[in-house]
């Protein structure tokens, strides 16, 4: 799976050999006090270094296969796990990554 999406269809991911990126259409980070993207979807990415917002980029796909809850997908050095409360993606070599859902995101 190189472009799995969440069961709700709100989060789409793009896995490459050394990076993974996610985009969300529906989100509201206001209560969490987190910075959002001004236009288009909220996007976030991680490669070998720290995860960062990728505003201006879109990794959305209506035709991507669904990554069911409690399932993971890996490609090269990156992986994602789908959970009921969001998506967690990381670089398996560095341990750097992010968790994202409709109301918050966190980098690690």
């Amino acid at each position: 799976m190189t472009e799995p999406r969440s069961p709700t269809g709100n989060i789409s991911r793009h896995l490459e050999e050394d990076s993974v990126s996610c985009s969300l259409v529906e989100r509201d980070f206001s209560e969490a006090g987190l910075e959002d993207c001004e236009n288009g979807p909220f996007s976030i990415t991680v490669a070998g270094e720290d995860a960062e917002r990728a505003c201006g980029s879109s990794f959305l796909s209506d035709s991507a296969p669904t990554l069911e809850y409690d399932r993971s997908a890996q490609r090269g050095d990156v992986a994602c796990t789908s959970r009921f409360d969001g998506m967690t993606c990381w670089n398996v070599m560095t341990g750097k990554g992010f968790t994202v859902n409709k109301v918050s995101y966190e980098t690690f």
Side-chain angles (χ1 to χ4, degrees), residues 22-24 27 29 35-37 40-44 53 100 105:
C22 287
S23 291
L24 288 86
R27 79 275 186 190
F29 302 142
E35 197 169 348
D36 198 348
C37 295
F42 173 82
S43 296
I44 189 167
R53 289 181 310 117
V100 64
Y105 62 91

Side-chain angles (χ1 to χ4, degrees), residues 34-80:
L34 297 169
E35 197 169 348
D36 198 348
C37 295
E38 289 185 27
N39 298 313
F42 173 82
S43 296
I44 189 167
T45 191
V46 66
E49 300 299 319
D50 293 336
E52 56 188 34
R53 289 181 310 117
C55 296
S57 298
S58 176
F59 306 98
L60 299 173
S61 173
D62 290 332
S63 62
T66 299
L67 183 61
E68 297 297 336
Y69 295 132
D70 298 321
R71 297 283 188 172
S72 298
Q74 183 172 351
R75 182 173 182 204
D77 292 344
V78 294
C80 288

Side-chain angles (χ1 to χ4, degrees), residues 1 13 15 30-31 46 54 58 60 63 67 81 90-91 101 104:
M1 264 188 201
R13 286 154 310 288
L15 285 89
S30 60
E31 285 191 33
V46 66
S58 176
L60 299 173
S63 62
L67 183 61
T81 299
W90 68 98
N91 181 302
N101 61 45
S104 70

